[in-house]
Amino acid sequence: QVQLVESGGGLVQAGGSLRLSCAASGRSFGSYVMGWFRQAPGKEREFVAAIRWSGLRTYYADFVKGRFTISRDNAKNTVYLQMNRLRPEDTAVYYCAADAKGRWGLSAQTYDYWGQGTQVTVSS
């Protein structure tokens, strides 16, 4: 059973930084694509960034390019989202997700497993 556990959310002022972590367990993730999504109140869940568990390929939503960086530590089975220059509009619950078939989808429906989410609040 795949388990994803996010941590690292919190309250930060605009312009500040946070690093989210997603600890993955339950199987080997070699062919998986790992993604970060977010959902603000009253809005749909939206794609933020993705990384293949093996290899260097990454992909970002336009609104985070140059500010957020996705990375992974294979030894720790953990995926990270480094978020810099945060804005109030980045306020949302952030979710880690895993796509077992490695499809590089931008839709939440592409992903098979989800964490419970971690709240990020950016004050102005």
Side-chain angles (χ1 to χ4, degrees), residues 5-12 17-23 35-38 48 68-72 78-84 86 90 92-96 117-121:
V5 180
E6 302 98 331
S7 60
L11 173 64
V12 64
S17 298
L18 283 173
R19 188 177 79 158
L20 306 183
S21 300
C22 172
W36 285 98
F37 284 75
R38 70 185 187 184
V48 175
F68 292 8
T69 303
I70 189 171
S71 62
R72 71 189 189 290
T78 300
V79 178
Y80 303 99
L81 185 69
Q82 177 67 44
M83 304 187 296
N84 298 328
L86 283 161
D90 293 319
V93 177
Y94 282 71
Y95 296 90
C96 177
T118 185
Q119 177 70 46
V120 171
T121 303

Side-chain angles (χ1 to χ4, degrees), residues 60-73:
Y60 296 92
D62 287 342
F63 55 79
V64 302
K65 285 181 180 177
R67 299 190 299 127
F68 292 8
T69 303
I70 189 171
S71 62
R72 71 189 189 290
D73 184 331

